[in-house]
Amino acid sequence: MAYDPLILVRLGEITLKGLNRGRFVSRLIGNMKRRLAELGSFEIEQSHSRIWIRSAADQALRDRAVMEEAISRLSRVFGIVSLSPALELETDYEQLKSTLLDHAEGLLKGAGAKSFKIDVRRVDKTFPLNSYELCCALGDLLLQRWPHQLSVRMKDPDLTFFVEIRDRIYLYHDIVEGAKGLPVGMSGRGMLLLSGGIDSPVAGYMMASRGMMIDAVYFHTFPYTGPQSLAKVEKLAALLARYAGRINLYVVDFTDIQLELNRFCPQDMLTLVMRRVMTRIASRLAEEAGAKALITGESLGQVASQTLEALVATDAAADRPVFRPLIGMDKNDTIGIARRIGTFETSILPYDDCCTVFVSKHPKTHPSPEDALRAERDLDMDDLVSQAMARVSRKLIDPHLGAEA
């Protein structure tokens, strides 16, 4: 073949990073290499606002299935604005014409009538034809080959053939939207309180999109919540890991603690005290994991435990910042993100978590921190946290392999 397939990656916010830009690009390339590692060997080169991914000796990208899987994985890497499968060829006009015809043949075979346009970006100004001349010549070439199937339309055509003239020529027709944001690993580490619901996976996704590495903690109350509940959370963590990279999932055996809270707490304060205990345990785990913040999926006013007063009382139990990226969002918007990132269908599986099994029937909606302290006076909080820390198991959640013990 006279051309080689490659992947063209476009950068966005990273290009605004000034003197720190090199660190962001280096981290992004490292993240890309980890996502592609199982698919073959690749050479990754960065130039200006683009990254070029080429096959190494194994020519992996010539396999259509590998190309499609690589595009799918890279579209979930934060820091990438968009990407395209492309063909790379010598800066030779005759070769460009023959490659364009071959490329169009594959797209048009059995496809019926299509409109199209040519979009040329001529970075190499020494190329003998300018952008307008190239558009006209290549468009005429396609019309002569498929006079009854193709027609020119400059606005919203069915097909756009993009041609970039640089030190080499790049030809492509498809632009896949990327995850945008910043490369994971550039904004420290956070500990996500992960339930089986809709909100917390979205919260983790949003913080990962700002470059934060994610660990997660789940509070398991077997047998009140069954193995299906735990499997559901592991599945959600794996779905989130497709964007955030590997996640350490800490599973806390919370049953005895939950029963003790149920026995000694005033019923109208049970939910709030439970969340304060979870916050203390998550803070201890965060300390051990090197996470500088907690992350929750709370939204102001969504339920009784998410009033402003309840959130203030909960935060009083934390020893580090609590990030709530959904705090001002409408529920429908959160659901929209959950659908887009693929967590929604798993989140709505009908398995309880501890927050739904042990819940106040008539919770106090405007508690103060002092109310919380009074509700906890019959509890040995240090002992409860120590009990929890002695009953923690950890699973490494790989984005492609699921949970590893």
Side-chain angles (χ1 to χ4, degrees), residues 7 35-36 39 42 53 61 64-77 83:
I7 298 174
R35 298 295 176 88
L36 297 176
L39 300 180
F42 303 93
I53 304 174
L61 291 178
R64 176 175 292 186
V66 172
M67 173 66 87
E68 290 177 353
E69 179 64 18
I71 292 288
S72 175
R73 292 187 182 193
L74 292 172
S75 70
R76 295 190 291 268
V77 174
L83 60 163

Coordinates of all heavy atoms in Angstrom, one line a residue, residues 7 35-36 39 42 53 61 64-77 83:
I7 N -3.8 7.4 13.6 CA -4.9 8.1 14.4 C -4.4 9.5 14.6 O -3.3 9.7 15.2 CB -5.2 7.4 15.7 CG1 -5.8 6.0 15.4 CG2 -6.3 8.2 16.4 CD1 -6.0 5.2 16.6
R35 N -3.9 2.9 27.8 CA -5.2 2.5 27.2 C -5.0 1.6 26.0 O -5.8 0.7 25.7 CB -6.1 3.7 26.8 CG -6.4 4.6 28.0 CD -7.3 3.9 29.0 NE -7.6 4.8 30.1 CZ -8.5 5.6 30.2 NH1 -9.4 5.7 29.2 NH2 -8.7 6.5 31.2
L36 N -3.9 1.8 25.2 CA -3.7 1.1 24.0 C -2.8 -0.2 24.2 O -2.6 -0.9 23.2 CB -3.1 2.0 23.0 CG -3.9 3.2 22.5 CD1 -3.1 4.1 21.5 CD2 -5.2 2.8 21.9
L39 N -3.5 -3.6 22.7 CA -4.0 -3.7 21.3 C -2.8 -3.8 20.4 O -3.1 -4.1 19.2 CB -4.8 -2.5 21.0 CG -6.1 -2.2 21.8 CD1 -6.8 -1.0 21.3 CD2 -7.0 -3.4 21.7
F42 N 2.7 0.8 19.4 CA 2.4 2.1 18.7 C 3.5 3.1 19.0 O 4.2 3.1 20.0 CB 1.1 2.6 19.2 CG -0.1 1.7 19.1 CD1 -0.5 0.9 20.1 CD2 -0.8 1.6 17.9 CE1 -1.5 0.0 20.0 CE2 -1.9 0.7 17.7 CZ -2.2 -0.1 18.8
I53 N -0.6 9.0 16.2 CA -0.4 7.6 16.7 C -0.3 6.7 15.4 O -1.2 6.5 14.6 CB -1.6 7.1 17.5 CG1 -1.9 8.1 18.7 CG2 -1.4 5.7 18.0 CD1 -3.1 7.8 19.5
L61 N -2.7 -1.1 13.4 CA -3.8 -0.3 12.9 C -4.3 -0.6 11.5 O -5.3 -0.1 11.1 CB -3.4 1.2 13.0 CG -3.2 1.8 14.4 CD1 -2.7 3.2 14.3 CD2 -4.4 1.7 15.2
R64 N -8.9 -3.5 11.0 CA -10.0 -2.6 11.2 C -10.5 -2.7 12.6 O -10.9 -1.7 13.2 CB -11.1 -2.9 10.2 CG -12.3 -2.0 10.4 CD -13.4 -2.2 9.4 NE -13.0 -1.7 8.1 CZ -13.8 -1.6 7.0 NH1 -15.0 -2.1 7.1 NH2 -13.3 -1.1 5.9
A65 N -10.6 -3.9 13.2 CA -11.1 -4.1 14.5 C -10.3 -3.4 15.5 O -10.7 -2.8 16.5 CB -11.3 -5.6 14.8
V66 N -8.9 -3.5 15.3 CA -8.0 -2.8 16.3 C -8.2 -1.3 16.2 O -8.2 -0.6 17.2 CB -6.5 -3.3 16.0 CG1 -5.6 -2.4 16.8 CG2 -6.4 -4.7 16.3
M67 N -8.3 -0.8 14.9 CA -8.5 0.6 14.7 C -9.7 1.1 15.5 O -9.7 2.1 16.2 CB -8.5 0.9 13.2 CG -8.9 2.4 12.9 SD -7.6 3.6 13.4 CE -6.6 3.6 12.0
E68 N -10.8 0.4 15.3 CA -12.1 0.8 15.9 C -12.0 0.7 17.4 O -12.5 1.6 18.1 CB -13.2 -0.1 15.4 CG -13.6 0.1 13.9 CD -14.6 -0.8 13.4 OE1 -15.0 -1.7 14.2 OE2 -15.1 -0.6 12.3
E69 N -11.4 -0.3 18.0 CA -11.2 -0.4 19.4 C -10.3 0.7 20.0 O -10.6 1.3 21.0 CB -10.7 -1.8 19.8 CG -10.5 -2.0 21.3 CD -11.8 -1.9 22.1 OE1 -12.9 -2.0 21.5 OE2 -11.7 -1.7 23.4
A70 N -9.2 1.0 19.2 CA -8.3 2.1 19.7 C -9.0 3.4 19.7 O -8.9 4.2 20.6 CB -7.1 2.1 18.7
I71 N -9.8 3.7 18.6 CA -10.6 4.9 18.6 C -11.6 5.0 19.8 O -11.7 6.0 20.4 CB -11.4 5.1 17.3 CG1 -10.4 5.2 16.1 CG2 -12.4 6.2 17.3 CD1 -9.7 6.6 16.0
S72 N -12.3 3.9 20.0 CA -13.2 3.9 21.1 C -12.5 4.2 22.5 O -13.0 5.0 23.3 CB -13.9 2.5 21.2 OG -14.8 2.4 22.3
R73 N -11.4 3.5 22.7 CA -10.7 3.7 24.0 C -10.2 5.1 24.1 O -10.3 5.8 25.1 CB -9.6 2.7 24.1 CG -10.0 1.3 24.3 CD -8.9 0.4 24.6 NE -9.3 -1.0 24.7 CZ -8.5 -2.0 25.2 NH1 -7.3 -1.7 25.6 NH2 -9.0 -3.2 25.3
L74 N -9.6 5.6 23.0 CA -9.0 7.0 23.1 C -10.1 8.1 23.2 O -9.8 9.1 23.8 CB -8.2 7.2 21.9 CG -6.9 6.4 21.8 CD1 -6.2 6.6 20.4 CD2 -5.9 6.8 22.9
S75 N -11.3 7.8 22.7 CA -12.4 8.8 22.9 C -12.8 9.0 24.3 O -13.5 10.0 24.6 CB -13.6 8.4 22.0 OG -14.2 7.2 22.6
R76 N -12.4 8.1 25.2 CA -12.7 8.2 26.6 C -11.5 8.7 27.4 O -11.5 8.7 28.7 CB -13.2 6.9 27.2 CG -14.5 6.5 26.5 CD -15.1 5.3 27.3 NE -14.4 4.1 27.0 CZ -14.6 3.2 26.1 NH1 -15.6 3.4 25.2 NH2 -13.9 2.1 25.9
V77 N -10.4 9.1 26.8 CA -9.2 9.6 27.5 C -9.4 11.1 27.7 O -9.5 11.9 26.7 CB -7.9 9.3 26.7 CG1 -6.7 9.9 27.4 CG2 -7.8 7.8 26.7
L83 N -10.7 13.1 17.6 CA -9.7 12.2 16.9 C -10.3 11.7 15.6 O -11.5 11.6 15.5 CB -9.2 11.1 17.9 CG -10.2 10.1 18.4 CD1 -9.4 8.9 18.9 CD2 -11.0 10.7 19.5

